[in-house]
Amino acid sequence: MQFLIEHIDIVMFAVTIAMLIRGYPVAFTLAGVGLGFALIGAWLEVGYFASGDLSFLKPFYSRVYGLMDETNEVLVAVPLFIFMGVMLERSQVAGELLETMGRLFGRLPGGLGFAVTFVGMLLAASTGVVGATVVTMGMISLPSMLRYNYAPSLACGSIAASGTLGQIIPPSIVLIILGDAISNEYTEARRNAGDWAPDPVSVGDIFAGAMVPGLMLVGAYLLYQIAIAVFFPSKSPPMDARDADPVTPRMVLRVLVPPVCLIVAVLGSILAGIATPTEAASVGAVGSVLLAGARLEPGRPWPQIAAFSGIVAALILTSGFDLRVSRDVIAPVDRIAIGAAIIACLLIAWGIASSLWRAYQRTEHAGGPSMLSEVMRSTMRVSSMVFIILIGAQLFNLTFRGLGGDETVREILDALPGGPWGAIFAVMLVIFLLGFFLDFLEIVFVVVPITAPIIFSYSNPDGSVMFHPVWVAVMIAMNLQTSFLTPPFGFALFYLRGVTPPEIRTVEIYRGVIPFVFMQLLMLALLAAVPELATWLPTRIFG
C-alpha cells in the first residue's frame, strides 16, 4: 500500500489510460479522474496536497479562462477549419474532385493510385479531417480500383495512407491544437530554465514546418505507386479506355482550380504573414461556403463569381487606398475607393447569402434536415468535443503535477540511456503506442503537457534549447499519423474497414498499409536526423 501511495501519480495515469481504453467519455474521464485523485491526494496529504485541502487546484479557473478568453485567438480557428472541412465534404466538392482526377489519370498504369494520392494531398490541405477523407475516398475510389483489377491490398493501402495526410499537411486540426499546446509549454519551460525572452512559436510556424516533410511524404507515396506500376503492372493496371469517359481540360479546371485557390488563399495568407491562422480559417470557411454554393447549382454560379470578384476588389482597394471613414478630410479618390469597397462588400454578402440559401434548401432525402443544418450540427458537435476535452485535460494535468507527476516523469526520462535523445525517443515511442488506443486529442492534451516541459528544458552548451519546438511538433504529428495507420489498431484502418466490401479481408488492408508505414517510419528517421527539414521553411519565412 505504501508503494502505491508513493507512486500515486503513476497509478493516476494508469487508471486514466485504462478507462479511456474501456471506452468511457474522454472529457469526463479526464476531469473525473483528475478531481477524484485530487481528493485522494488531499486525504493522503501527498505532494502539493500535503496541506490536506484542494487549494492547489485554485489555478484551474484561471487556466481555463486563459485558454478561452478573447486574447487567445488560436483556438477560434478550430471550429472554422472544422466547418470548412465538413462543408466541402457534404457538398460533394471533394467527391467530384476525386472522380474527375481518377478519370484523368486512370488510363495510365497505376493512374488510379496516382489520383488517390494526389487528391488525398489536396483534401488534406483543404479539409484537414482524416476520418471524412478516408471514408470519402474509400466510398468513391475503392469500387473503381477493384473493378479495374487493382490488387485489393494496394488499393486499400493507398486510400488509407493518402487519407491520413490530413494529420501532417496544413491546415490540420492536429497541427492547430498541437501548435497551441507546444507554444504554451515551450514558453513556460524556457522561462523555468532561466530564458525569460524565448523566441515565440506560433501555429503559423508549425504549419510552415510541416510543409516540407508532408510534401516529401506525398512524393514517397507517388514514387511507390510508380514502382508498383513499373515492376508489378498486374497489381495496378490502367482503366479500359472504352469504360472511361473522356475528361476535358474545362472539366479538370472546373473541379481543380477552386480547391487549389482555396488552399492558396488559406495557407498563402498564413505563410505570407498577411493573416493569422484564425483569420485564414475565416477565409477558408467563407471560401468553402462559396464553393459549396457553386457546386450545388452549377448552372447559376453568378452570385459566387460576384462574391469572388468582390473579395479580389476589396483586397486591391485595401492595399491601394486609405479606406478609413473616420477622417475629417477624405480625398475625392478615397471617397470613390470607399464607395467601391462598399459595393465589393455587398457583392460578397450576396454570394454568401446565396450559397447559404442553397445549402439550406438541399437535403439528402425528402423530409430530412437541410445540408446546412447537418454541417452546423457536425461543426458544433466536434468543436464542443474538442473544448470540453481541453477543459477536462486542464484539471487532469493540474492534479497530476500536484501529485508530483512531473518530477516522476523527469526522473524516468533522465534515467534512460542516451541522455536527452533517449528521452525524446521514449516520448515518441509512448505517443506511438498510445496512438493505437487514443485519439489525437487525448494524446495532445494529456501527454504533451506532461512531457514537453522536460523536453524543452534540455539546453545546448550555449544555453539555447536543444530540441526546436517546431521540430518536436512536426515529429509528434508525423508519429501520430504513423500510429493511426499501423496495424492492427490504426484508426484509419477502422474508418476504411467500415466502407470496404465484405469480400475484402481485413488482413489485406493490413498488408496494403505496411509499405506506407515503412515509408512513414523512414520519414520519421530522416526528420530526426535532419531537423532542418522542419525548421528551414519557418526560418526563411518568419525569420
Side-chain angles (χ1 to χ4, degrees), residues 13 16-17 20 26 30 393 396-397 438 441-451:
F13 190 80
T16 304
I17 298 299
L20 291 175
V26 178
L30 295 178
F396 174 88
N397 293 328
L438 307 180
L441 291 172
E442 297 95 278
I443 295 174
V444 171
F445 289 149
V446 175
V447 179
V448 170
I450 293 173
T451 58

Side-chain angles (χ1 to χ4, degrees), residues 1-34:
M1 179 60 69
Q2 186 63 30
F3 177 82
L4 294 179
I5 295 176
E6 293 177 355
H7 298 86
I8 191 172
D9 49 353
I10 298 179
V11 175
M12 173 186 177
F13 190 80
V15 169
T16 304
I17 298 299
M19 294 183 69
L20 291 175
I21 293 176
R22 285 293 303 272
Y24 289 102
V26 178
F28 302 127
T29 296
L30 295 178
V33 171

Side-chain angles (χ1 to χ4, degrees), residues 14 19 81-82 120 185 188 247 407 426:
M19 294 183 69
F81 276 126
I82 293 172
E185 299 300 334
E188 182 179 351
V247 178
E407 290 89 351

Side-chain angles (χ1 to χ4, degrees), residues 106 108-112 148-151 233-239:
L108 301 174
L112 288 176
Y148 293 106
N149 298 318
Y150 259 69
S234 61
K235 291 187 176 182
S236 56
M239 294 174 60

Side-chain angles (χ1 to χ4, degrees), residues 59-77:
F60 173 67
Y61 168 78
S62 59
R63 276 189 169 204
V64 174
Y65 182 79
L67 289 169
M68 301 297 180
D69 71 353
E70 66 276 3
T71 62
N72 187 0
E73 297 181 354
V74 174
L75 294 178
V76 179

